[in-house]
Amino acid sequence: MAVLSNLSMATISSCLTFYSLSIIFLLTCLVSSSFGELQRFDHLIKEGGSLNFLVVGDWGRKGLYNQSHVAHQMGKIGEKLDIEFVISTGDNFYDNGLKSVNDPLYEESFMNIYTALSLQKKWYNVLGNHDYRGNVEAQLSPTLQQLDSRWVCLRSYVLDADIVDFFFVDTTPFVDKYFTEPGEHTYDWSGTSPRKSYIAEHLEEVQTALKESNAKWKIVVAHHPIRTAGHHRDTEELVEQLLPILEENNVDLYINGHDHCLQHITSTKRNGKMEFVTSGGGSKAWNGDVQKEKEGLEFYHDGQGFVSIELTPIVAKIVYYDVTGHVMYQFSMYKEQQLHSFT
């Protein structure tokens, strides 16, 4: 009996120790998640320090509204430039995101559309407002990457590609009207509540990541525009809350979708250092809905298309293509001299 008693006491003591350590670990995780940093991915660039990639947004429509035609031209340009990845600016699946990880839309609008060999690279995605109308966790689930290894989607993260750091920002929760005037739409806000805390923490994470970056180029990717001549107009919540952080930390490019167009707006502050690029022409477009007198507007195309970006340590070349693959417009930024060239 004495032996049994001693064994029991030892077992109880071990269990208490285990549970104590478990509680400590859980509390540590909770503290880390409360004051966490953006998750980071590393991408090795080519020898010689260059990086080529494509940008497309607002695309997921089962190949309709010229999505398949845009995808075909992306494949051709991707091969020509020997791209290393694709960036998606959100609204990945219309009209209401994915219902689950088994939703056929994933195959019908992504896997079966972007089939060119040159597009079999990583796709770095952000969520758009239409994605928030579905099951957000489905798009974030590792299951999608198991179905197609190209797929990378988080709410927000950093992609470190040596000469450039990309900062992917979750902008949908910033926009008031999705909460105050949702209309007939239902949004999946799980993981973003309480909203004020989520936004405050997100802004802090972005600011910290930007400040810690030593990359030659800083590029921010999001769904909603800060400045646009398109249908949705400027996103005032981002102008007030996000733009000052980007300006303070010398961001070079802000890339977005949401407006179904291709667009370039040059900054009217800080000697035009930051440029605003819209690539939201992946499928359905809106003809004629444009503010032609928008300050800083250099180029606007109210049709389908996509963008390529070629980066070296000192030059960024941004090229805009229409649905036929025709080059409509391009501009370059020269890092050392802080000059710009528009054609």
Side-chain angles (χ1 to χ4, degrees):
M1 293 295 292
V3 173
L4 289 172
S5 178
N6 288 338
L7 286 174
S8 299
M9 290 300 292
T11 302
I12 292 171
S13 177
S14 297
C15 289
L16 288 173
T17 302
F18 172 79
Y19 287 122
S20 297
L21 291 174
S22 298
I23 292 171
I24 292 171
F25 175 75
L26 178 60
L27 290 174
T28 301
C29 290
L30 289 173
V31 171
S32 298
S33 63
S34 297
F35 302 96
E37 297 180 351
L38 295 178
Q39 185 169 339
R40 301 183 69 91
F41 296 89
D42 293 324
H43 183 91
L44 297 177
I45 65 173
K46 301 171 186 174
E47 186 176 350
S50 64
L51 178 70
N52 299 338
F53 58 96
L54 302 182
V55 184
V56 66
D58 304 83
W59 41 268
R61 296 182 186 272
K62 301 182 182 180
L64 301 176
Y65 296 98
N66 284 337
Q67 183 193 0
S68 293
H69 294 294
V70 173
H72 178 68
Q73 295 302 329
M74 287 174 62
K76 294 172 67 174
I77 299 301
E79 180 180 6
K80 179 181 178 180
L81 298 180
D82 189 20
I83 62 165
E84 298 195 39
F85 53 79
V86 178
I87 286 177
S88 168
T89 58
D91 277 1
N92 306 316
F93 301 100
Y94 284 95
D95 278 323
N96 298 307
L98 295 180
K99 295 178 181 178
S100 71
V101 294
N102 299 314
D103 194 323
L105 271 179
Y106 183 62
E107 184 175 347
E108 296 166 348
S109 293
F110 175 61
M111 295 174 65
N112 292 350
I113 303 299
Y114 303 101
T115 57
L117 183 62
S118 66
L119 303 181
Q120 305 309 302
K121 309 291 177 65
K122 289 296 184 185
W123 279 59
Y124 294 102
N125 301 272
V126 290
L127 298 170
N129 54 297
H130 282 269
D131 301 311
Y132 263 96
R133 294 178 187 174
N135 183 340
V136 170
E137 291 301 323
Q139 283 202 51
L140 305 180
S141 173
T143 300
L144 295 192
Q145 196 168 55
Q146 294 171 9
L147 295 172
D148 192 317
S149 61
R150 294 178 291 173
W151 188 261
V152 178
C153 188
L154 290 80
R155 294 183 193 273
S156 53
Y157 54 103
V158 178
L159 175 62
D160 181 346
D162 190 37
I163 60 173
V164 55
D165 279 347
F166 298 89
F167 306 85
F168 292 79
V169 179
D170 183 23
T171 55
T172 301
F174 283 79
V175 181
D176 291 335
K177 70 178 182 180
Y178 300 141
F179 295 85
T180 60
E181 303 174 32
E184 62 184 13
H185 305 299
T186 300
Y187 293 87
D188 177 8
W189 299 122
S190 58
T192 65
S193 299
R195 181 188 175 208
K196 287 185 178 180
S197 297
Y198 178 80
I199 291 174
E201 182 177 339
H202 192 17
L203 289 172
E204 184 176 347
E205 289 172 341
V206 171
Q207 175 143 336
T208 298
L210 285 168
K211 286 185 179 296
E212 292 178 350
S213 174
N214 294 315
K216 279 279 188 178
W217 299 93
K218 296 180 182 181
I219 298 178
V220 172
V221 180
H223 180 63
H224 294 81
I226 291 179
R227 301 191 64 222
T228 178
H231 172 78
H232 290 106
R233 308 304 189 245
D234 293 358
T235 308
E236 294 301 329
E237 296 89 345
L238 300 181
V239 173
E240 295 173 4
Q241 299 177 71
L242 182 60
L243 181 58
I245 293 174
L246 307 189
E247 291 179 334
E248 178 185 343
N249 289 283
N250 300 314
V251 167
D252 299 288
L253 281 172
Y254 181 86
I255 301 175
N256 63 271
H258 197 46
D259 274 332
H260 296 185
C261 65
L262 303 176
Q263 178 179 210
H264 172 214
I265 292 181
T266 190
S267 177
T268 56
K269 296 183 179 180
R270 299 187 304 111
N271 298 318
K273 178 175 173 56
M274 182 160 48
E275 305 297 324
F276 300 88
V277 171
T278 297
S279 183
S283 58
K284 189 176 182 178
W286 301 317
N287 293 326
D289 194 350
V290 55
Q291 288 179 297
K292 295 182 179 180
E293 303 303 318
K294 179 70 175 181
E295 185 179 19
L297 181 63
E298 298 288 342
F299 169 75
Y300 191 95
H301 173 60
D302 54 355
Q304 294 95 349
F306 59 99
V307 169
S308 72
I309 298 182
E310 303 172 57
L311 284 177
T312 73
I314 59 172
V315 181
K317 181 181 178 182
I318 296 89
V319 182
Y320 295 72
Y321 306 85
D322 67 12
V323 69
T324 68
H326 172 70
V327 174
M328 295 180 292
Y329 172 79
Q330 63 184 20
F331 73 96
S332 297
M333 302 170 65
Y334 301 89
K335 189 64 177 177
E336 300 302 324
Q337 298 89 351
Q338 297 300 338
L339 299 175
H340 301 81
S341 174
F342 309 130
T343 57

PDB file of all heavy atoms in Angstrom, residues 5 109 131 180 199 250 256 270 306 316 323:
ATOM      1  N   SER A   5       0.894   4.134  -2.705  1.00  0.00           N
ATOM      2  CA  SER A   5       0.680   5.520  -2.295  1.00  0.00           C
ATOM      3  C   SER A   5       1.766   6.417  -2.845  1.00  0.00           C
ATOM      4  O   SER A   5       1.501   7.509  -3.341  1.00  0.00           O
ATOM      5  CB  SER A   5       0.639   5.600  -0.762  1.00  0.00           C
ATOM      6  OG  SER A   5       0.480   6.929  -0.354  1.00  0.00           O
ATOM      7  N   SER A 109     -12.270  28.363 -60.714  1.00  0.00           N
ATOM      8  CA  SER A 109     -11.845  29.748 -60.921  1.00  0.00           C
ATOM      9  C   SER A 109     -10.344  29.959 -60.774  1.00  0.00           C
ATOM     10  O   SER A 109      -9.831  31.012 -61.146  1.00  0.00           O
ATOM     11  CB  SER A 109     -12.573  30.671 -59.940  1.00  0.00           C
ATOM     12  OG  SER A 109     -13.950  30.730 -60.227  1.00  0.00           O
ATOM     13  N   ASP A 131     -14.335  38.141 -50.814  1.00  0.00           N
ATOM     14  CA  ASP A 131     -13.837  36.950 -50.108  1.00  0.00           C
ATOM     15  C   ASP A 131     -14.381  36.905 -48.684  1.00  0.00           C
ATOM     16  O   ASP A 131     -14.638  35.827 -48.140  1.00  0.00           O
ATOM     17  CB  ASP A 131     -12.308  36.955 -50.093  1.00  0.00           C
ATOM     18  CG  ASP A 131     -11.730  36.960 -51.495  1.00  0.00           C
ATOM     19  OD1 ASP A 131     -12.170  36.134 -52.312  1.00  0.00           O
ATOM     20  OD2 ASP A 131     -10.846  37.799 -51.778  1.00  0.00           O
ATOM     21  N   THR A 180     -21.760  49.114 -41.358  1.00  0.00           N
ATOM     22  CA  THR A 180     -22.932  49.967 -41.144  1.00  0.00           C
ATOM     23  C   THR A 180     -23.991  49.805 -42.226  1.00  0.00           C
ATOM     24  O   THR A 180     -25.174  50.027 -41.977  1.00  0.00           O
ATOM     25  CB  THR A 180     -22.509  51.439 -41.079  1.00  0.00           C
ATOM     26  OG1 THR A 180     -21.867  51.807 -42.322  1.00  0.00           O
ATOM     27  CG2 THR A 180     -21.530  51.674 -39.928  1.00  0.00           C
ATOM     28  N   ILE A 199      -7.895  46.284 -35.853  1.00  0.00           N
ATOM     29  CA  ILE A 199      -7.312  47.308 -36.723  1.00  0.00           C
ATOM     30  C   ILE A 199      -6.093  47.944 -36.055  1.00  0.00           C
ATOM     31  O   ILE A 199      -5.045  48.128 -36.696  1.00  0.00           O
ATOM     32  CB  ILE A 199      -8.360  48.379 -37.074  1.00  0.00           C
ATOM     33  CG1 ILE A 199      -9.440  47.780 -37.995  1.00  0.00           C
ATOM     34  CG2 ILE A 199      -7.703  49.585 -37.741  1.00  0.00           C
ATOM     35  CD1 ILE A 199     -10.599  48.707 -38.277  1.00  0.00           C
ATOM     36  N   ASN A 250       8.560  55.475 -45.841  1.00  0.00           N
ATOM     37  CA  ASN A 250       9.151  55.534 -47.180  1.00  0.00           C
ATOM     38  C   ASN A 250       8.791  54.334 -48.069  1.00  0.00           C
ATOM     39  O   ASN A 250       9.651  53.740 -48.735  1.00  0.00           O
ATOM     40  CB  ASN A 250      10.681  55.651 -47.076  1.00  0.00           C
ATOM     41  CG  ASN A 250      11.108  56.890 -46.333  1.00  0.00           C
ATOM     42  OD1 ASN A 250      10.606  57.979 -46.579  1.00  0.00           O
ATOM     43  ND2 ASN A 250      12.029  56.737 -45.397  1.00  0.00           N
ATOM     44  N   ASN A 256      -2.930  47.677 -55.318  1.00  0.00           N
ATOM     45  CA  ASN A 256      -4.268  47.281 -54.873  1.00  0.00           C
ATOM     46  C   ASN A 256      -5.112  46.796 -56.044  1.00  0.00           C
ATOM     47  O   ASN A 256      -4.727  46.893 -57.207  1.00  0.00           O
ATOM     48  CB  ASN A 256      -4.970  48.464 -54.201  1.00  0.00           C
ATOM     49  CG  ASN A 256      -5.190  49.637 -55.146  1.00  0.00           C
ATOM     50  OD1 ASN A 256      -4.313  50.501 -55.259  1.00  0.00           O
ATOM     51  ND2 ASN A 256      -6.315  49.661 -55.846  1.00  0.00           N
ATOM     52  N   ARG A 270       5.890  64.450 -51.017  1.00  0.00           N
ATOM     53  CA  ARG A 270       7.257  63.947 -50.906  1.00  0.00           C
ATOM     54  C   ARG A 270       7.904  63.778 -52.281  1.00  0.00           C
ATOM     55  O   ARG A 270       8.539  62.785 -52.577  1.00  0.00           O
ATOM     56  CB  ARG A 270       7.302  62.623 -50.141  1.00  0.00           C
ATOM     57  CG  ARG A 270       6.794  62.736 -48.727  1.00  0.00           C
ATOM     58  CD  ARG A 270       6.987  61.476 -47.910  1.00  0.00           C
ATOM     59  NE  ARG A 270       6.377  60.318 -48.526  1.00  0.00           N
ATOM     60  CZ  ARG A 270       7.057  59.305 -49.048  1.00  0.00           C
ATOM     61  NH1 ARG A 270       8.364  59.298 -49.027  1.00  0.00           N
ATOM     62  NH2 ARG A 270       6.427  58.271 -49.596  1.00  0.00           N
ATOM     63  N   PHE A 306      -3.647  43.099 -66.732  1.00  0.00           N
ATOM     64  CA  PHE A 306      -2.805  42.776 -65.582  1.00  0.00           C
ATOM     65  C   PHE A 306      -1.533  43.596 -65.658  1.00  0.00           C
ATOM     66  O   PHE A 306      -1.329  44.382 -66.602  1.00  0.00           O
ATOM     67  CB  PHE A 306      -2.486  41.277 -65.558  1.00  0.00           C
ATOM     68  CG  PHE A 306      -1.769  40.773 -66.794  1.00  0.00           C
ATOM     69  CD1 PHE A 306      -0.397  40.599 -66.807  1.00  0.00           C
ATOM     70  CD2 PHE A 306      -2.483  40.484 -67.958  1.00  0.00           C
ATOM     71  CE1 PHE A 306       0.265  40.147 -67.941  1.00  0.00           C
ATOM     72  CE2 PHE A 306      -1.834  40.030 -69.105  1.00  0.00           C
ATOM     73  CZ  PHE A 306      -0.456  39.870 -69.102  1.00  0.00           C
ATOM     74  N   ALA A 316      12.851  49.880 -60.860  1.00  0.00           N
ATOM     75  CA  ALA A 316      11.582  49.161 -60.881  1.00  0.00           C
ATOM     76  C   ALA A 316      10.856  49.549 -62.165  1.00  0.00           C
ATOM     77  O   ALA A 316      10.627  50.726 -62.420  1.00  0.00           O
ATOM     78  CB  ALA A 316      10.732  49.513 -59.667  1.00  0.00           C
ATOM     79  N   VAL A 323      -6.192  42.864 -72.291  1.00  0.00           N
ATOM     80  CA  VAL A 323      -6.655  41.486 -72.381  1.00  0.00           C
ATOM     81  C   VAL A 323      -6.025  40.728 -73.558  1.00  0.00           C
ATOM     82  O   VAL A 323      -6.021  39.496 -73.586  1.00  0.00           O
ATOM     83  CB  VAL A 323      -8.196  41.451 -72.477  1.00  0.00           C
ATOM     84  CG1 VAL A 323      -8.663  42.005 -73.811  1.00  0.00           C
ATOM     85  CG2 VAL A 323      -8.748  40.060 -72.238  1.00  0.00           C
TER      86      VAL A 323
END
